[in-house]
Amino acid sequence: MNLEVCFEPTPWELALEEIEDGDSISAVRFLTLMEGEEEAAVEDALLTLEQRKIPLDVTDLPKAAGTGEAAVRLRREEQLVQQDRWVESLEETDPLRMYLEELSDIPAYGDVQTLSARLANGDRSVVEQITNLMLSTVVEQACAMTGRGVLLQDLIQEGSLGLWQAILEYSGGDFEQLCRWHIQFGMARLVTMQARSSGVGQRMRQAMEDYRGVDERLLSELGRNPTMEEMAEQLHMTVDEAATVAKTLEAARVLAQVKKPAEPVEEDPEEQQAVEDTAYFQMRQRISELLSNLEDVDAQLLTFRFGLEGGKPLSPEETGRKMGLTPEEVVAKEAAALAKLRNI
């Protein structure tokens, strides 16, 4: 008897499958997706990204904060790398200075293009020489990633491992581009895992829940979609932080739709009623019923702003681009249209 065992893909596997070649994934989105997963699953997910050459974008991770010697050192390193001859600013016995001076003493000579061509043809005698030439790239990229929760020396060491992996993998093509990719990915992976240990994924999930609740409340109170500034004020965040949460929330909504067709199940009447009782549902339902009383332009504007045709709600800027209006005109027309609806 032949038994076929079928393993359903996990949510994170489905999510990563949806990322197209050439795209990247933000570190915050990755951590939110992997929140609650075992370390082995996180490592598998990172390996999948590496194999598919999908970069990890760490720019949306919060800067290192807090107190203690490590936090002070991180802030100092971030400031130092902006200066010329910053290595000399460190104490002579500083481990980082000693490490960098040791690297600078390694002889580096030759031409990367010529050496990489020999490497692609199987000449392993050039490995040490080409490694020495590329170490400066490792240090340069590590300096660009300072202040994100990982000490500079650790970034350099992780980048060096990435460089070594690129050299082992190389069989032709743009050698320097391959090296930069592996160096950056190694450092980004280290920064992301440090952020995971600091609870970034868990905090983002809570922030998403808070954002959703405030969004629905303000929609009910204002009779329109709140601006990002209004959301940020209610959430006690900066506008950029609120925008990051909104972007991650939208990505999570899209990812939730990425799943195999499930067996039809009978809906629980109580659960269905709970959904229909939300302020957001009621507002959308009410507007949908009354749109016929508006001029076509105003009806279309509210449809875009509230996402009434199944899409996501659009900002005034996005709506304006679609309708040839300025954001200010969108806000004014929206207010007038909603005022008319309230009087019906």
Side-chain angles (χ1 to χ4, degrees), residues 16 38-39 50 67 83 115 118-119 125 135 146 184 186 225 241 250 252 259 270 274 288 293-294 308 315 319 327 329:
L16 296 188
E38 298 290 338
E39 290 299 313
E50 186 174 11
T67 58
Q83 306 171 10
L115 293 173
R118 290 172 58 184
L119 182 65
S125 67
L135 284 174
T146 54
Q184 289 174 348
N225 284 340
E241 289 170 341
E250 173 59 18
K259 55 187 178 182
E270 292 185 1
S288 295
N293 296 282
L294 298 176
L308 298 176
S315 67
T319 301
E329 289 173 333

Side-chain angles (χ1 to χ4, degrees), residues 19 34 68 95 130 156 162 164 186 191-192 195 197 270 283 307 329:
I19 301 175
M34 302 305 298
I130 202 168
I156 294 172
W164 181 248
V191 169
T192 300
S197 68
E270 292 185 1
M283 177 65 73
E329 289 173 333

Side-chain angles (χ1 to χ4, degrees), residues 228-270:
M228 195 57 66
E229 288 75 13
E230 290 168 335
M231 290 295 300
E233 181 180 1
Q234 292 293 314
L235 291 164
H236 306 291
M237 297 178 176
T238 66
V239 173
D240 287 343
E241 289 170 341
T244 296
V245 176
K247 182 179 178 182
T248 306
L249 186 60
E250 173 59 18
R253 184 190 68 80
V254 174
L255 292 177
Q257 299 173 353
V258 183
K259 55 187 178 182
K260 292 187 174 181
E263 292 289 333
V265 294
E266 184 177 349
E267 293 184 347
D268 186 334
E270 292 185 1

Side-chain angles (χ1 to χ4, degrees), residues 86-329:
W86 61 271
V87 175
E88 287 82 351
S89 301
L90 298 169
E91 297 289 336
E92 291 186 1
T93 56
D94 187 287
L96 176 60
R97 176 171 178 171
M98 296 172 64
Y99 182 76
L100 290 174
E101 288 177 342
E102 182 181 337
L103 289 183
S104 66
D105 289 338
I106 298 176
Y109 58 91
D111 176 73
V112 171
Q113 187 172 358
T114 301
L115 293 173
S116 63
R118 290 172 58 184
L119 182 65
N121 290 325
D123 184 355
R124 309 304 295 178
S125 67
V126 302
V127 168
E128 181 177 356
Q129 189 177 349
I130 202 168
T131 300
N132 295 341
L133 282 173
M134 294 300 297
L135 284 174
S136 60
T137 301
V138 174
V139 175
E140 177 184 334
Q141 295 190 10
C143 289
M145 207 172 286
T146 54
R148 297 193 176 277
V150 178
L151 295 173
L152 188 53
Q153 186 170 344
D154 293 334
L155 288 170
I156 294 172
Q157 290 175 340
E158 193 67 26
S160 298
L161 291 175
L163 170 62
W164 181 248
Q165 184 173 348
I167 291 173
L168 294 178
E169 180 182 310
Y170 184 67
S171 60
D174 191 330
F175 174 74
E176 291 186 82
Q177 181 180 2
L178 178 68
C179 288
R180 289 192 187 94
W181 193 92
H182 276 290
I183 292 167
Q184 289 174 348
F185 186 84
M187 294 179 186
R189 176 176 53 204
L190 183 60
V191 169
T192 300
M193 292 304 290
Q194 176 62 38
R196 174 179 165 85
S197 68
S198 300
V200 168
Q202 183 178 9
R203 291 199 299 273
M204 177 54 72
R205 282 199 178 276
Q206 183 59 55
M208 288 164 61
E209 291 298 321
D210 293 343
Y211 188 102
R212 187 182 291 111
V214 170
D215 188 34
E216 293 182 0
R217 176 171 60 79
L218 288 181
L219 177 61
S220 178
E221 293 175 357
L222 302 174
R224 59 172 173 81
N225 284 340
T227 65
M228 195 57 66
E229 288 75 13
E230 290 168 335
M231 290 295 300
E233 181 180 1
Q234 292 293 314
L235 291 164
H236 306 291
M237 297 178 176
T238 66
V239 173
D240 287 343
E241 289 170 341
T244 296
V245 176
K247 182 179 178 182
T248 306
L249 186 60
E250 173 59 18
R253 184 190 68 80
V254 174
L255 292 177
Q257 299 173 353
V258 183
K259 55 187 178 182
K260 292 187 174 181
E263 292 289 333
V265 294
E266 184 177 349
E267 293 184 347
D268 186 334
E270 292 185 1
E271 291 183 0
Q272 180 65 21
Q273 186 60 45
V275 172
E276 295 180 357
D277 282 342
T278 64
Y280 186 70
F281 182 90
Q282 291 176 4
M283 177 65 73
R284 287 184 53 166
Q285 187 72 11
R286 176 62 175 160
I287 293 174
S288 295
E289 293 171 353
L290 298 177
L291 283 183
S292 59
N293 296 282
L294 298 176
E295 294 181 4
D296 290 344
V297 172
D298 292 335
Q300 186 65 64
L301 184 145
L302 292 184
T303 297
F304 285 144
R305 291 287 285 127
F306 287 90
L308 298 176
E309 292 182 346
K312 68 173 184 177
L314 300 184
S315 67
E317 291 78 9
E318 294 169 325
T319 301
R321 285 195 292 269
K322 283 182 172 288
M323 301 187 66
L325 301 171
T326 66
E328 292 75 17
E329 289 173 333

